[in-house]
């Protein structure tokens, strides 16, 4: 029953495509969005898109700059100004964006900013201009075919600060509560205009109410918000929700996550954003908030490169920084709703005219960082690509013992002794397990060259164990065929070096894909070995066999170690100043 590896590879890909065509994909696909000091404008995106799409991202945040009648630039980042804009100024930018042929980037965002932020909330004429600026951004994003637009609420144009009550020109004439009510009105005004242009837009924010979590837990949060630099922002967001249509999505990017360094920090932040932060939203908008506001996180690449005494440094405690980057991005992707944004300052992913960015790429400054992002973003895709690279290099080694079920004798991995097949027993090199209620039979189907199980009603499996080290990444493949009501799957489980079960909640489970003409179905699983684990246990499982004709066959088992802890072990590189 053995097949060439290339043929099996083609079969897996073809059947995966067929499965997607015939069944609804129920996964929540997680995506990495690039931003930072190498952020392109519409011209840079058009010029460098082919290079950009080779990097491990699903989309990018970009700046868009129009040209005034006098030839001076007009940047969307300065949306919070009272200057009247003309949409004609941005038509050449739209033409550039429309001409780009995206092959990989599916989720792109145009950036607007709360700058200069010198428009008082009680300035009707000024807010008419701000509202039109927001509507213009939504119009451009939709015309360009983008997912939506990105709002950066940070105050960069000192001394102005749009969301700080103390910085408002009329703070002496109006109370904080007056300003709070007016900020909600302006949010409603802005979002009404946006919804007319782009009713199903994604509004991605570096942060939303997560910036004001210190104000939750009070019967009235406003006295606390009054002294905060972003104290008017929750009211502005509440106004968004007043006017937002059901198809619109908001993303709280949780910029606070820059130094998060373990699973629980991401989980707690998600609980706060989804739960406690509702207290900063009026009760009538809380159902809409829960339905339309997503959890996201920011990953600050420089924190994995910086050294002491920088306070912006991830503490790795002996773990290589890029390994820690992988672990944290994986945690962020697990805890988020859809997006994680990756922000960098010192280095670049693609060409940029920004002279404040060093000439080296992030993959040079943090060797392996691009692969770490790929593995965290899509383990299965990374595994297939890595397996193909190793195959072409001639170093792809199948660790499965008697995985093609052709042998009567296999060397035992633990003792080094030959394990002989016994008549009526499991194939050589494999052990079995089933629940106490089951009376199933496990055997070697010698004619088919496969492992066979019948009569396993509840749960049973063929078993093989492999010595592993934390940080190793494995790709496991097999083919399975069923008869009658049988169900089948493969599972990767973890043991300590002493053989004790551990990390049960981190099992990797995979079900077979669509059947080929001969009835065989491919199944594959990808797992990265968790900390404190010394053994990977492969379970070829079956269940639901109630009739004599119900059976499961497994064949062509492949177990590949694709990447170990050494893949992400290289230290950050230090470069001479240019």
């Amino acid at each position: 029953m053995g097949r060439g590896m290339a043929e099996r590879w083609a079969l897996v890909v073809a059947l995966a495509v067929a499965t997607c065509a015939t069944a609804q994909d129920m996964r929540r696909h997680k995506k990495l969005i690039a931003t930072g000091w190498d952020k392109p404008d519409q011209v840079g995106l058009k010029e460098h898109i082919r290079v950009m799409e080779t990097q491990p991202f699903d989309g990018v945040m970009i700046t868009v700059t129009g040209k005034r009648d006098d030839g001076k630039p007009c940047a969307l980042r300065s949306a919070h100004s009272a200057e009247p804009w003309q949409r004609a100024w941005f038509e050449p930018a739209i033409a550039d964006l429309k001409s780009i042929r995206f092959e990989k980037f599916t989720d792109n965002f145009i950036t607007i900013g709360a700058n200069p932020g010198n428009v008082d909330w009680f300035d009707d004429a000024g807010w008419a201009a701000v509202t039109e600026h927001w509507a213009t951004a939504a119009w451009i994003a939709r015309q360009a075919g983008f997912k939506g637009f990105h709002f950066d609420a940070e105050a960069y144009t000192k001394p102005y600060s749009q969301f700080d009550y103390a910085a408002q020109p009329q703070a002496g004439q109006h109370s904080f509560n007056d300003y709070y009510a007016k900020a909600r009105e302006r949010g409603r005004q802005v979002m009404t205009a946006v919804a007319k242009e782009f009713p199903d837009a994604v509004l991605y924010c570096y942060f939303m109410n997560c910036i004001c979590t210190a104000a939750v837990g009070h019967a009235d949060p406003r006295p606390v918000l009054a002294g905060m630099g972003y104290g008017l922002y929750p009211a502005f967001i509440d106004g968004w929700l007043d006017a937002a249509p059901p198809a619109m999505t908001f993303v709280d990017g949780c910029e606070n996550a820059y130094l998060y360094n373990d699973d629980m920090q991401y989980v707690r932040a998600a609980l706060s954003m989804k739960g406690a932060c509702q207290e900063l939203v009026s009760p009538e908008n809380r159902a809409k908030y829960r339905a339309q506001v997503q959890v996201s996180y920011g990953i600050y690449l420089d924190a994995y490169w910086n050294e002491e005494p920088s306070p912006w440094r991830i503490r790795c405690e002996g773990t290589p920084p890029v390994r820690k980057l992988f672990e944290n991005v994986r945690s962020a992707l697990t805890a988020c709703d859809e997006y994680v944004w990756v922000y960098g300052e010192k280095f670049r992913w693609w060409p940029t005219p920004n002279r404040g960015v060093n000439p080296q790429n992030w993959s040079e400054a943090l060797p392996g960082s691009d692969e770490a992002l790929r593995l965290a973003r899509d383990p299965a895709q990374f595994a297939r690509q890595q397996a193909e690279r190793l195959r072409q290099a001639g170093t792809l080694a199948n660790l499965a013992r008697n995985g093609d079920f052709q042998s009567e004798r296999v060397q035992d991995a633990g003792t080094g002794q030959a394990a002989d097949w016994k008549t009526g027993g499991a194939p050589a090199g494999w052990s079995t397990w089933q629940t106490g209620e089951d009376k199933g039979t496990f055997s070697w189907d010698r004619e088919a060259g496969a492992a066979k199980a019948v009569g396993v009603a509840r749960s049973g499996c063929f078993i093989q164990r492999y010595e592993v080290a934390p940080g190793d990444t494995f790709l496991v493949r097999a083919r399975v065929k069923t008869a009658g009501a049988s169900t089948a799957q493969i599972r990767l489980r973890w043991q300590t070096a002493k053989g004790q079960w551990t990390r049960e909640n981190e099992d990797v489970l995979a079900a077979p894909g669509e059947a080929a003409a001969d009835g065989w179905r491919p199944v594959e699983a990808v797992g990265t070995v968790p900390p404190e684990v010394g053994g990977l246990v492969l379970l070829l499982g079956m269940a639901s066999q109630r009739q004599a004709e119900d059976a499961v066959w497994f064949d062509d088992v492949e177990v590949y170690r694709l990447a170990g802890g050494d893949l992400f072990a290289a230290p950050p590189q230090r470069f001479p100043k240019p």
Side-chain angles (χ1 to χ4, degrees):
M1 292 295 294
R3 293 170 179 251
M5 189 177 302
E7 183 180 351
R8 288 197 298 272
W9 180 274
L11 177 64
V12 168
V13 173
L15 289 175
V17 172
T19 300
C20 291
T22 58
Q24 182 180 1
D25 189 342
M26 298 296 290
R27 294 172 295 177
R28 293 188 306 148
H29 291 277
K30 306 299 183 73
K31 300 163 187 173
L32 294 179
I33 306 300
T35 183
W37 285 12
D38 58 352
K39 177 187 291 186
D41 62 8
Q42 72 274 7
V43 175
L45 181 65
K46 179 179 179 180
E47 182 178 355
H48 302 300
I49 186 60
R50 295 284 73 83
V51 173
M52 295 173 69
E53 288 192 318
T54 64
Q55 300 297 348
F57 302 107
D58 298 276
V60 65
M61 296 175 183
I62 73 164
T63 61
V64 169
T65 303
K67 184 179 291 187
R68 295 178 173 87
D69 292 337
D70 60 6
K72 293 181 179 179
C74 179
L76 285 181
R77 290 190 63 87
S78 299
H80 281 231
S81 70
E83 178 195 15
W85 290 357
Q86 297 179 27
R87 293 195 177 188
W89 296 351
F90 297 93
E91 287 178 353
I94 291 175
D96 279 332
L97 293 170
K98 282 185 172 181
S99 70
I100 299 172
R101 180 172 52 86
F102 292 106
E103 296 178 354
K104 179 188 170 192
F105 283 0
T106 56
D107 294 58
N108 302 303
F109 302 89
I110 290 168
T111 293
I112 67 171
N115 288 281
N118 57 357
V119 181
D120 186 82
W121 295 91
F122 285 88
D123 180 354
D124 290 338
W127 271 95
V130 172
T131 298
E132 175 55 27
H133 299 166
W134 275 72
T136 297
W139 169 68
I140 295 170
R142 189 172 190 184
Q143 289 291 312
F146 277 27
K147 199 74 173 179
F149 58 102
H150 157 240
F151 179 54
D152 185 355
E154 187 167 348
Y156 297 108
T157 313
K158 304 301 181 184
Y160 308 114
S161 183
Q162 188 71 78
F163 299 104
D164 184 354
Y165 169 63
Q168 303 311 306
Q170 299 187 55
Q173 287 91 350
H174 301 281
S175 70
F176 176 80
N177 286 354
D178 292 338
Y179 264 100
Y180 201 78
K182 184 59 71 171
R184 181 175 178 180
E185 177 187 324
R186 299 307 187 191
R188 183 165 55 247
Q189 176 181 332
V190 160
M191 198 50 56
T192 299
V194 167
K196 289 180 180 178
E197 298 290 347
F198 200 162
D200 57 346
V202 175
L203 176 52
Y204 203 142
C205 305
Y206 278 153
F207 51 84
M208 288 176 59
N209 281 343
C210 70
I211 199 69
C212 294
T213 53
V216 305
H218 303 273
D220 184 352
R222 289 175 298 177
V224 179
L225 290 168
M228 299 177 70
Y230 290 94
L232 295 172
Y233 193 26
F236 194 52
I237 292 169
D238 209 14
W240 293 351
L241 295 172
D242 286 337
M248 190 169 288
T249 300
F250 303 91
V251 181
D252 189 333
C254 191
E255 189 172 346
N256 312 354
Y258 276 178
L259 295 181
Y260 286 2
N261 206 19
D262 63 55
D263 287 339
M264 287 309 300
Q265 287 181 288
Y266 292 101
V267 171
R268 290 190 189 101
L271 291 173
S272 175
M273 284 185 276
K274 285 291 196 181
C277 284
Q278 292 182 61
E279 297 180 15
L280 304 178
V281 173
S282 57
E284 63 269 24
N285 279 334
R286 289 177 184 172
K288 185 179 284 188
Y289 178 96
R290 291 191 296 272
Q292 293 178 241
V293 176
Q294 291 188 353
V295 169
S296 177
Y297 304 96
I299 298 292
Y300 184 38
L301 288 172
D302 296 66
Y304 298 86
W305 187 88
N306 290 338
E307 298 178 293
E308 290 196 40
S310 171
W312 292 101
R313 179 175 61 87
I314 290 289
R315 301 186 184 280
C316 296
E317 307 298 340
T319 301
V322 177
R323 167 62 55 184
K324 182 59 73 173
L325 171 66
F326 160 70
E327 293 173 354
N328 286 337
V329 173
R330 180 178 60 180
S331 296
L333 287 167
T334 299
C336 78
D337 282 303
E338 185 173 7
Y339 298 109
V340 168
W341 52 285
V342 180
Y343 180 85
E345 295 177 349
K346 290 188 176 69
F347 303 98
R348 63 187 72 199
W349 291 106
W350 35 70
T352 176
N354 188 344
R355 295 184 179 180
V357 180
N358 289 310
Q360 294 85 8
N361 290 335
W362 278 108
S363 56
E364 298 174 90
L366 284 170
S369 57
D370 53 341
E371 294 299 89
L373 295 179
R374 293 182 209 280
L375 176 58
R377 171 188 169 272
D378 191 335
Q381 183 182 64
F382 172 88
R384 294 173 191 138
Q385 292 174 345
Q386 181 74 352
E388 179 60 15
R389 286 193 290 265
L390 295 175
R391 186 190 69 79
Q392 292 182 5
T395 58
L396 187 67
N398 186 5
L399 303 180
R401 301 178 295 279
N402 193 21
D404 60 2
F405 303 103
Q406 298 291 323
S407 301
E408 293 186 1
R409 172 174 292 195
V410 177
Q411 188 176 38
D412 184 86
T415 65
Q417 301 296 316
D420 295 336
W421 171 71
K422 297 179 181 179
T423 301
W430 294 85
S431 59
T432 63
W433 172 90
Q434 59 184 315
T435 61
E437 297 87 348
D438 286 329
K439 304 298 180 183
T441 300
F442 299 90
S443 64
W444 176 26
D445 188 334
R446 195 163 191 163
E447 181 178 351
K452 181 180 180 181
V454 295
V456 181
R458 300 227 178 159
S459 181
C461 55
F462 294 97
I463 305 171
Q464 203 166 93
R465 186 182 189 277
Y466 311 90
E467 299 294 325
V468 298
D472 289 350
T473 295
F474 285 84
L475 169 64
V476 178
R477 290 178 176 156
R479 294 193 304 138
V480 61
K481 184 164 66 173
T482 59
S486 299
T487 61
Q489 61 190 18
I490 64 173
R491 183 189 296 263
L492 311 185
R493 300 199 69 187
W494 312 109
Q495 289 185 342
T496 66
K498 294 182 179 180
Q500 297 171 323
W501 294 110
T502 186
R503 304 268 181 168
E504 288 87 348
N505 63 327
E506 297 182 48
D507 284 5
V508 179
L509 191 64
E514 291 293 303
D518 60 3
W520 287 92
R521 295 185 289 164
V523 57
E524 70 175 17
V526 178
T528 297
V529 182
E532 302 173 1
V533 166
L536 182 161
V537 181
L538 170 60
L539 310 178
L540 308 179
M542 69 291 298
S544 304
Q545 299 175 351
R546 305 185 184 281
Q547 306 296 327
E549 62 271 18
D550 295 345
V552 171
W553 293 264
F554 286 96
D555 196 8
D556 294 331
V557 179
E558 301 167 354
V559 179
Y560 300 122
R561 178 185 179 274
L562 302 178
D566 54 331
L567 180 67
F568 306 134
Q573 298 300 297
R574 306 298 164 185
F575 305 103
K577 293 183 178 181

